[in-house]
Amino acid sequence: MTAAQLGLLIGVAVFGAVFLGTVDGTGPSADGSADALWVTCVALAGAALRGALMSLSRRVGNLR
């Protein structure tokens, strides 16, 4: 349980850092937030795809 909570904590921190790193420091704007949200969603989708592929490869490896 603690490992899962730690994983969630690290995930939130990483994607928060990606979002805040993408927003420019000129002040709040709709364009900046939209761009940052887009980059964060792409990064999250990539992480989800990687997790799915790792799970699939583990299952295929266990079938042999």
Side-chain angles (χ1 to χ4, degrees):
M1 173 123 171
T2 303
Q5 290 174 340
L6 183 61
L8 289 170
L9 175 71
I10 291 171
V12 168
V14 167
F15 288 110
V18 168
F19 180 81
L20 291 176
T22 306
V23 175
D24 58 355
T26 59
S29 70
D31 289 336
S33 293
D35 291 342
L37 183 60
W38 175 248
V39 170
T40 304
C41 286
V42 169
L44 185 58
L49 180 63
R50 182 177 178 193
L53 290 175
M54 288 175 62
S55 175
L56 182 63
S57 69
R58 179 178 276 179
R59 287 183 184 178
V60 169
N62 287 340
L63 293 177
R64 294 180 186 180

